Amino acid sequence: MILASYVEEIIAKVQAENPGETEFHNTVKEVLTSIAPVLEKNPKYQQAAILERIVEPERVVMFRVPWTDDAGKVHVNKGYRVQFNSAIGPYKGGLRLHPSVNLSIIKFLGFEQVFKNSLTTLPIGGGKGGSNFDPKGKSDAEIMRFCQSFMTELCRHIGLNTDVPAGDIGVGGREIGYLYGQYKRIRNAYDAGVLTGKGLNYGGSLARTEATGYGLLYFTKLMLADAGLDYKDKTVVISGSGNVATYAIEKAQEFGAKVVACSDSNGYVYDKDGIDLALVKEIKEVRRGRIKEYVDAKPSAEYHEGCKGIWTIPCDIALPCATQQELDLESAKALVANGVKAVGEGANMPSTLDAIEYLQNNNVLFAPAKAANAGGVAVSALEMAQNSMRYSWTFEEVDNKLKNIMADIYENSKRCAKEYGHEGDLLVGCNIAGFLKVADAMLAQGVC
Ligand code: NAP
């Protein structure tokens, strides 16, 4: 009872001291509530004020990003880097370019990243950054000028052993290239390991592009197997058509599933014959077009405006891979009514808290983002390792390491859930597993 009120007190303090930061409040609530059993067993964490410290970023950097468009007009965006926790390694986490980006979203993503990175078993702390810049409709030259301006400030705060950013929504290989070029120019050092997600010809890792989507499939396959299920011949719905969704579709198809839908921020396509992935890649990766163009090439498929309707498509397995809070209670109810057996989160926090509760109460297997989508950052850490060695592993070597890491994350999450009285609840299990490593490192390092 005393303990529950202690956790509630910290949650209330975070809400009061960070007004309006709803996304950040939600993730703090989710994590702290689920680690309550750990605090019960180990008073040392409360005594050392680990919770009070872990919810406070070590550093928040906010800056102006001025850039000039092709017509010569000057624009100003907001830039952010939140260096959340470095107890187990340099800050590590992506950069997001999207008009919705604000401090709350970057803090929520940074906080999640702390536990996710801990779960990977690799020595990386947690951070996140980005800007409210909208890359949609911008020319290559505009993207380059924005990235150069962003890095001109960011380069003061990052480094091989300090903070290693990567991609996220709106930041792919092209943007990482421009960011790295500017970093190298200002710092006059070929610090390849300062950014991950680089091109293969200048220090990138094979299988990094595929890692988050593939990792999600490796993780959920293990979860399904424990319940006597498999991807083979199952109907799968995957939201998004970006990096995570594309490679989730690829691996799901390789596992014998039929993926019948995917989406972008305007709407979704339903193809009862199974999504043609080569066509999706052509539209999104080559043409940088809209998913509705899919039906131009395949008139037998359907296009629907709006994103939420995708969850009303009957399926066995649903993999939200687009963005945060895209699967709400109403969507969860539709999925359950249509007999969904499992939900695996590829995006960060794609399900609302009430949706997760509803899915779990209705015996739907649930793979939480922090664990299930950790494959991307895990391979980013492998990219850093290869950069340090000045050596590259083959695709198969990296893919095998990824498989082993996802299996370790799954087993650790499962074990922690059981050990702390929540058998079968991977959300509680992964939060506990991620927390323990960071909290113990913080204890060992004293009050800092
Ligand atoms: P991405 O390549 O930029 O793709 C994002 C996809 O989501 C696009 O199809 C986008 O559509 C769609 N989308 C964006 N906002 C949306 C909205 N409000 N409603 C519906 N769809 C929306 O990004 P990504 O790297 O795949 O990342 C997707 C998610 O996975 C994010 O939550 C990210 O944080 C998470 N994640 C990514 C990685 C990674 O390695 N990339 C690792 C871990 C977690 P448009 O084309 O219309 O923008």
Side-chain angles (χ1 to χ4, degrees), residues 115-377:
F115 305 96
K116 181 190 305 191
N117 291 3
S118 162
L119 280 170
T120 64
T121 70
L122 301 168
I124 38 178
K128 200 84 188 186
S131 170
N132 61 352
F133 172 78
D134 186 359
K136 272 203 199 82
K138 304 289 188 300
S139 69
D140 270 4
E142 288 171 334
I143 298 281
M144 183 181 73
R145 286 196 291 274
F146 172 84
C147 288
Q148 289 177 338
S149 179
F150 187 85
M151 182 52 86
T152 300
E153 174 59 33
L154 186 70
C155 74
R156 302 168 207 267
H157 311 287
I158 61 174
L160 286 177
N161 298 308
T162 314
D163 184 356
V164 181
D168 188 72
I169 291 180
V171 178
R174 173 181 60 170
E175 292 74 19
I176 292 290
Y178 294 149
L179 290 163
Y180 184 63
Q182 183 73 350
Y183 178 90
K184 187 166 60 67
R185 196 172 164 204
I186 296 176
R187 300 290 278 258
N188 190 26
Y190 208 99
D191 292 338
V194 74
L195 286 172
T196 58
K198 297 181 295 293
L200 293 177
N201 49 5
Y202 65 95
S205 173
L206 286 160
R208 172 61 188 93
T209 308
E210 294 82 355
T212 309
Y214 279 20
L216 171 68
L217 269 288
Y218 296 148
F219 186 96
T220 46
K221 194 176 197 310
L222 292 168
M223 177 179 79
L224 291 170
D226 265 352
L229 299 166
D230 188 34
Y231 269 103
K232 188 146 179 38
D233 299 327
K234 296 294 184 303
T235 301
V236 180
V237 164
I238 298 184
S239 64
S241 50
N243 172 264
V244 180
T246 299
Y247 294 95
I249 296 172
E250 187 163 285
K251 194 50 89 174
Q253 291 179 339
E254 205 182 300
F255 284 167
K258 189 196 229 187
V259 182
V260 293
C262 67
S263 61
D264 64 17
S265 53
N266 293 116
Y268 66 93
V269 286
Y270 169 62
D271 188 339
K272 62 174 176 12
D273 301 330
I275 289 290
D276 178 343
L277 185 59
L279 179 56
V280 172
K281 284 186 181 178
E282 158 70 21
I283 295 168
K284 298 307 269 189
E285 292 179 355
V286 181
R287 283 191 249 155
R288 294 184 190 272
R290 311 305 303 155
I291 202 65
K292 72 173 172 205
E293 293 164 36
Y294 186 95
V295 291
D296 300 338
K298 282 200 81 187
S300 61
E302 298 168 20
Y303 174 72
H304 300 266
E305 279 292 326
C307 304
K308 266 182 62 180
I310 196 169
W311 307 121
T312 61
I313 299 170
C315 63
D316 302 303
I317 299 158
L319 304 175
C321 293
T323 192
Q324 68 271 358
Q325 309 286 277
E326 54 167 310
L327 196 163
D328 60 8
L329 180 59
E330 201 188 321
S331 315
K333 285 182 177 169
L335 284 167
V336 169
N338 284 326
V340 75
K341 295 178 185 67
V343 171
E345 297 187 314
N348 282 316
M349 210 167 76
S351 320
T352 58
L353 294 178
D354 51 4
I356 296 173
E357 203 181 333
Y358 188 84
L359 293 169
Q360 290 183 323
N361 288 343
N362 283 279
N363 300 318
V364 176
L365 301 171
F366 182 74
K370 231 175 261 119
N373 75 18
V377 74

Side-chain angles (χ1 to χ4, degrees), residues 32-112:
L32 296 203
T33 310
S34 59
I35 58 171
V38 179
L39 304 175
E40 191 113 40
K41 268 196 183 172
N42 307 285
K44 61 185 178 182
Y45 298 123
Q46 186 174 351
Q47 282 152 13
I50 294 293
L51 289 200
E52 287 89 332
R53 288 192 274 148
I54 216 164
V55 296
E56 199 62 55
E58 289 175 16
R59 190 171 300 104
V60 174
V61 185
M62 289 171 64
F63 51 97
R64 177 172 77 196
V65 192
W67 59 279
T68 308
D69 69 19
D70 290 343
K73 185 168 181 241
V74 177
H75 299 260
V76 180
N77 284 100
K78 289 182 183 298
Y80 303 88
R81 186 71 186 166
V82 174
Q83 299 180 329
F84 225 111
N85 194 301
S86 62
I88 62 169
Y91 311 107
K92 179 96 197 78
L95 297 172
R96 175 176 293 192
L97 299 183
H98 194 271
S100 65
V101 163
N102 57 34
L103 186 58
S104 171
I105 289 186
I106 298 297
K107 280 169 71 175
F108 125 62
L109 291 165
F111 188 69
E112 287 273 303

Side-chain angles (χ1 to χ4, degrees), residues 381-394:
L382 299 180
E383 182 174 332
M384 289 163 72
Q386 292 170 83
N387 293 151
S388 298
M389 291 188 295
R390 297 178 190 278
Y391 183 73
S392 304
W393 290 315
T394 63

